[in-house]
Amino acid sequence: MSGKYATETLAADKGGIGHAAEILRAGGLIAVPTETVYGLAARADSDIAVAKIYEAKGRPSFNPLIVHVPSKRAASTIAEFSPHADALADAHWPGPLTLVLPRRRDARLAAAVTAGLETVALRVPNHPVMREILALVDFPLAAPSANRSGYISPTSAQHVLSSLEGRIDGVIDGGICSAGLESTIVAVRGDGSTQVLRPGPIEFTSGTGGAAARGMIEAPGQLASHYAPGKPLRLDANRAESDEFFIGYGEVSGDCSLSPSGSLEEAASRLYGCLHLGAASQKRRIAVAPVPEKGIGRAINDRLRRAATPPD
């Protein structure tokens, strides 16, 4: 950005949320808690506001943004809903599901939101703070994760400030995010089929990631290197080397544990918190114990594999 911001930490109460809505109306940037991770919100109908998101995050321009709306009715003014998309929205909204759908030609969105694609990624969140903000403003919110692009996603206000302090207007401190992993992203194709573009808290059985494999990014979270802690990351480790911060799971203990009891849901909620601790430690590297490739463990391992992949 052209100059430093004085980043405010706002309470998750009527006053703080009202002040955040005023900043958003004026085209500012506010980090907001959701049930998944903290999102960096700006009005999605403003080219200038959306450009600020990309600049604050250092996000590549080809990577589209998720648009957050208060309801399926609001979403239908932005995208075309097939009967199958309707059914998915009815079953999972509000909640951690993002649908990639054909964008309506009359949708009032900044061009950069969809990164030149004819589709748009939409979500109706289920966090009370984000829902209250959406009720106070009369525009949709573009809100990718509130962190520098490619780095560990934030599940607390402090995580946000560790990478974006001075680059955004404010963050609403709503505590720790409950799910801890970004939303599941599902594309609904013209023939009625679905494709999981990013695994997440809601499980589907269709194929994953085909668009990214073909070299086209259709939605956030498809880059090969992402969620990185800034240190080498070794996966499926049963013990730590002397220079490694060790993240345990189940019976395998460590400096931090995803879940001593072996709960995959707890592991998902603690994943980014443990990676943040490892990144801040004095150890040169990070190692992570094996996590079962089942249930939400598939999404956990997806994030870990991308975090372990060196950037190009």
Side-chain angles (χ1 to χ4, degrees), residues 23-50:
I23 292 171
L24 290 166
R25 290 189 195 99
L29 299 179
I30 295 290
V32 183
T34 77
E35 69 273 30
T36 57
V37 300
Y38 275 68
L40 182 56
R43 55 185 307 160
D45 61 350
S46 166
D47 290 318
I48 294 174
V50 170

Side-chain angles (χ1 to χ4, degrees), residues 45-279:
D45 61 350
S46 166
D47 290 318
I48 294 174
V50 170
K52 290 179 181 178
I53 291 178
Y54 281 93
E55 188 174 359
K57 285 177 61 70
R59 186 181 181 91
S61 61
F62 59 78
N63 202 3
L65 305 175
I66 294 175
V67 177
H68 294 66
V69 291
S71 64
K72 187 177 79 171
R73 181 177 179 181
S76 68
T77 68
I78 297 173
E80 301 286 351
F81 276 74
S82 66
H84 190 44
D86 262 327
L88 288 172
D90 289 341
H92 299 291
W93 281 356
L97 174 67
T98 294
L99 293 177
V100 174
L101 303 172
R103 174 182 168 170
R104 290 175 58 102
R105 293 186 179 276
D106 59 351
R108 294 176 56 193
L109 291 178
V113 167
T114 56
L117 299 172
E118 295 183 359
T119 55
V120 59
L122 289 166
R123 183 160 95 87
V124 178
N126 197 31
H127 192 285
V129 172
M130 182 60 120
R131 291 193 63 77
E132 190 168 344
I133 287 178
L134 286 167
L136 289 175
V137 300
D138 60 356
F139 45 80
L141 293 175
S145 58
N147 57 292
R148 294 285 286 167
S149 185
Y151 292 94
I152 310 168
S153 296
T155 53
S156 73
Q158 189 54 50
H159 291 164
V160 174
L161 294 171
S162 69
S163 68
L164 293 180
E165 185 167 15
R167 303 183 66 86
I168 64 176
D169 294 287
V171 54
I172 299 177
D173 189 349
I176 304 296
C177 299
S178 57
L181 288 181
E182 298 86 352
S183 62
T184 304
I185 301 180
V186 174
V188 181
R189 307 301 187 191
D191 61 2
S193 65
T194 59
Q195 183 179 16
V196 177
L197 301 181
R198 180 177 71 188
I202 296 175
E203 292 184 66
F204 290 88
T205 56
S206 70
T208 62
R214 296 192 301 270
M216 185 178 76
I217 301 298
E218 287 187 276
Q222 291 187 285
L223 295 174
S225 179
H226 208 28
Y227 318 106
K231 297 179 179 180
L233 182 65
R234 185 167 65 95
L235 305 183
D236 298 323
N238 289 306
R239 63 180 181 85
E241 302 295 337
S242 60
D243 64 344
E244 290 178 327
F245 180 93
F246 192 39
I247 299 174
Y249 174 79
E251 295 181 355
V252 181
S253 60
D255 300 294
C256 172
S257 178
L258 295 174
S259 174
S261 67
S263 164
L264 287 171
E265 288 72 23
E266 182 181 27
S269 70
R270 289 176 53 82
L271 174 63
Y272 292 139
C274 285
L275 285 175
H276 275 281
L277 288 175

